Amino acid sequence: MPTVVSVVVLCLLVAVLLATQCPGEPGLTNSDANAVRLSPADTTGSVPLEQTIATRRSVRSFTGEALSNEQIGQLLWAAQGITDAQRGFRAAPSAGALYPLEVYVVTAAGVYHYEPHGHVLRLRTGGDHKAALAQACLGQPCVQQAGANFVFTAVYSRTQAKYGQRARSYVDIEVGAAGENLLLQAVALDLGAVMVGAFRDEAVVQALQLPADHYPVLVIPVGHPA
Ligand SMILES: Cc1cc2nc3c(=O)[nH]c(=O)nc-3n(C[C@H](O)[C@H](O)[C@H](O)COP(=O)(O)O)c2cc1C
């Protein structure tokens, strides 16, 4: 027969365990110092889509001011956020819903990987890697000045497994769609952004210590226009 004391101790243990586990996100706990849980995205907004299209221009000069976590989360949601939780579908279309894109965020604080499921940013490396990324982007000043750089990478094998040689083209189409979503979201947030395609692939991989099968395909510096 369990004593009253042992029952109380057991209940306390269960309560502590439940309190440290975040609901809906297996493996991510409140004590996980490397994870930034992003606020749920704004899915209504106040700027008409047509206005974002009409006013979008490439912006290459930024004040250097950091972006808030809310802004970063909203931009990531627009690019690759989950918009159909039941089926796991995302904001941008993907051939066969295979989702080959992985997005990294490079700020003055570190290099983060975006996890669409859970809407979480996970720190990979601390420290400011913007200068190294700017070097990899042929020294373009906007990369260094940006509050945050969004680095799109592709895991080609995910799409190749089903579509073979068409995968390269499909990934190009997908990163264009995701990138444009992010650009338009930046306009709606009163931020500036530009697509950067001029970079040395290998130098980006090295600067950000990317996994071997994550090939950089697009960099988007975002910041407060100077
Ligand atoms: C695939 C692609 C790669 C690009 N690469 C760069 C780049 O490396 N650096 C840059 O400053 N702008 C880059 N741009 C931005 C273009 O220069 C810009 O879109 C063009 O001048 C038209 O201006 P707008 O974007 O304001 O309409 C790129 C655009 C695309 C679509």
Side-chain angles (χ1 to χ4, degrees):
M1 273 292 280
T3 64
V4 174
V5 174
S6 63
V7 168
V8 168
V9 167
L10 194 67
C11 288
L12 277 173
L13 274 173
V14 170
V16 167
L17 205 65
L18 287 174
T20 54
Q21 189 72 41
C22 297
E25 286 169 23
L28 181 62
T29 65
N30 283 333
S31 60
D32 192 338
N34 290 335
V36 179
R37 185 185 309 282
L38 298 162
S39 318
D42 175 3
T43 59
T44 52
S46 55
V47 184
L49 172 65
E50 293 81 359
Q51 192 178 319
T52 64
I53 295 171
T55 57
R56 183 208 62 79
R57 278 278 76 80
S58 290
V59 177
R60 301 178 178 83
S61 191
F62 307 117
T63 61
E65 190 188 329
L67 267 55
S68 68
N69 282 352
E70 285 72 25
Q71 289 170 324
I72 290 174
Q74 189 70 29
L75 292 160
L76 286 166
W77 170 81
Q80 281 292 282
I82 303 288
T83 49
D84 180 335
Q86 256 187 349
R87 294 182 293 175
F89 286 1
R90 303 188 186 179
S94 175
L98 293 169
Y99 301 109
L101 302 179
E102 297 289 338
V103 185
Y104 293 83
V105 182
V106 183
T107 72
V111 179
Y112 299 82
H113 176 241
Y114 178 53
E115 297 176 0
H117 293 279
H119 200 42
V120 164
L121 267 185
R122 196 169 291 275
L123 180 67
R124 287 179 53 82
T125 325
D128 192 345
H129 292 67
K130 288 196 293 177
L133 181 61
Q135 276 303 110
C137 296
L138 316 184
Q140 297 189 59
C142 56
V143 176
Q144 172 110 48
Q145 286 174 2
N149 288 280
F150 296 78
V151 180
F152 291 77
T153 70
V155 182
Y156 284 99
S157 57
R158 290 182 195 156
T159 307
Q160 265 160 357
K162 183 169 183 188
Y163 297 111
Q165 291 192 338
R166 295 296 295 162
R168 192 153 286 273
S169 166
Y170 286 177
V171 165
D172 289 347
I173 294 167
E174 291 183 31
V175 76
E180 180 71 1
N181 276 7
L182 193 152
L183 292 183
L184 296 179
Q185 180 68 77
V187 174
L189 294 174
D190 265 337
L191 296 169
V194 58
M195 281 191 174
V196 165
F199 52 78
R200 292 191 305 276
D201 298 0
E202 199 41 52
V204 173
V205 169
Q206 279 203 351
L208 308 185
Q209 294 294 298
L210 296 176
D213 60 345
H214 289 203
Y215 296 90
V217 286
L218 175 66
V219 177
I220 303 188
V222 182
H224 299 269

